Amino acid sequence: PGVARIPYSFGAIVLRGSDPRDNAVYIDGIEVPLAFHFGGLTSFYPSNLLSRMTVIGGGFDAMYGRAQGGIVELATRDPRTDAVRIGGSVGLLDSAVQAEFPLAGGGVIAAVRRSYFDLVARPFVSDDIPLPNYLDAQLRGAWGDPAGKGRIAPLLFLSLDRVAITDPNGGATPNTSSLSSFVVRAGVPYLRTWGPLALHAVAWLGADSIAFTSVTNNDEETFRRPTYPGGARGPLSRVFSWGEVRGGVDLEGGHLSHAEEGLGQPGDILEQENGTTSRWWIDSALWSDARVDVAGDRLSVKPG
């Protein structure tokens, strides 16, 4: 209830009527721009690789900044380490393959998924209807730290979406128009405990790009403007008999690249335009909050 997707299903979500730009999606503490692939057919991260999902429509904790609407928090699961497992799936919309295996005292899980919805649906719709396809891949590990008191879980994932329209009346070479979105993230989450104290830290880097391509009479026009974000979060918490106290640092920054435009034959090098509009940015914060249990698990107060 209170959750919807934006029109044309470009993957953004609406929580209780808020603007999608006012919501935030995190996976293992790493912020990502979208929760779904184009078309809203499936999430960008396979559900069988997740351990939990939390949706907060409003009133979220002080540790979450840069959002005014709601929060979607995803947590990945550790790979199983008792045996080597290889499997996959073939469905109407996509196919996937994954493997998980023990390695060096820990474990690794790797997966790839590719859709073919555009090929299945094309015979049943007119040529001017845009159809999506997507590709995603995930690599996740889990090991204990050398001191034996913490756990490190590096991960790498990417998502590529494309919506395309083909005009068969373009002559010998059909005219095409496409909009694509690319997201990649690499992060190193770390968990360590000292009795009642617990540190959940993560550092990450990534790249985002939305590109438009149009091919008319064998001339290709392209436009894209990539962004390279990164960040680090370090919540530290302590449990008491009456509740919990937490605090931490939240850093995020990145680079907004030049606009890259091209007009010519497919494969030509893109030219950079508007060089003065590229930007570096950094956004830093310190936060703290507490949870006071008033009536056990039924009622608590959380100043932050």
Side-chain angles (χ1 to χ4, degrees):
V3 180
R5 292 190 293 269
I6 64 174
Y8 308 108
S9 297
F10 277 111
I13 57 174
V14 177
L15 297 177
R16 296 176 61 184
S18 60
D19 190 306
R21 293 172 296 182
D22 291 335
N23 302 318
V25 180
Y26 293 90
I27 180 164
D28 287 354
I30 301 171
E31 190 169 359
V32 292
L34 295 176
F36 293 93
H37 284 297
F38 282 178
L41 302 174
T42 185
S43 67
F44 77 98
Y45 208 97
S47 59
N48 65 325
L49 302 184
L50 298 175
S51 61
R52 71 176 186 277
M53 178 186 72
T54 304
V55 179
I56 307 173
F60 44 84
D61 294 346
M63 68 177 290
Y64 295 109
R66 309 178 192 88
Q68 302 179 65
I71 298 291
V72 177
E73 185 180 37
L74 307 173
T76 62
R77 68 172 178 87
D78 285 347
R80 292 185 282 263
T81 58
D82 57 334
V84 176
R85 289 178 169 85
I86 300 176
S89 64
V90 177
L92 180 62
L93 303 179
D94 58 40
S95 294
V97 61
Q98 71 179 58
E100 50 187 316
F101 49 88
L103 179 67
V108 174
I109 184 168
V112 177
R113 180 173 55 174
R114 175 68 164 86
S115 79
Y116 34 74
F117 175 75
D118 53 334
L119 302 178
V120 174
R122 177 52 66 193
F124 304 99
V125 300
S126 61
D127 295 325
D128 60 349
I129 298 297
L131 293 175
N133 63 74
Y134 55 82
L135 168 73
D136 57 53
Q138 303 80 31
L139 181 64
R140 163 76 147 79
W143 292 273
D145 67 9
K149 297 182 180 180
R151 191 166 184 80
I152 186 172
L155 74 161
L156 170 69
F157 57 89
L158 63 87
S159 174
L160 175 63
D161 291 80
R162 184 173 182 267
V163 178
I165 304 175
T166 300
D167 177 13
N169 299 319
T173 303
N175 299 329
T176 63
S177 297
S178 65
L179 178 68
S180 60
S181 172
F182 176 72
V183 176
V184 61
R185 293 288 187 272
V188 185
Y190 177 70
L191 169 65
R192 181 164 181 173
T193 59
W194 304 266
L197 286 172
L199 173 65
H200 297 260
V202 59
W204 60 274
L205 294 171
D208 303 332
S209 178
I210 295 181
F212 173 78
T213 301
S214 176
V215 179
T216 305
N217 297 326
N218 210 34
D219 287 330
E220 183 179 51
E221 184 177 3
T222 61
F223 175 84
R224 74 185 186 102
R225 192 172 192 184
T227 305
Y228 304 97
R233 300 164 60 84
L236 179 66
S237 62
R238 191 188 193 288
V239 176
F240 296 90
S241 59
W242 46 265
E244 182 182 33
V245 173
R246 303 184 305 170
V249 61
D250 186 359
L251 304 174
E252 190 169 313
H255 179 63
L256 175 64
S257 184
H258 308 281
E260 298 179 353
E261 301 174 358
L263 178 62
Q265 300 297 316
D268 286 353
I269 299 175
L270 296 175
E271 294 185 0
Q272 292 189 346
E273 301 289 345
N274 302 327
T276 59
T277 64
S278 63
R279 289 289 183 269
W280 288 93
W281 83 91
I282 187 169
D283 182 10
S284 59
L286 296 174
W287 63 272
S288 64
D289 67 8
R291 187 191 78 248
V292 181
D293 298 326
V294 179
D297 294 333
R298 293 173 294 177
L299 179 63
S300 62
V301 178
K302 299 189 71 172

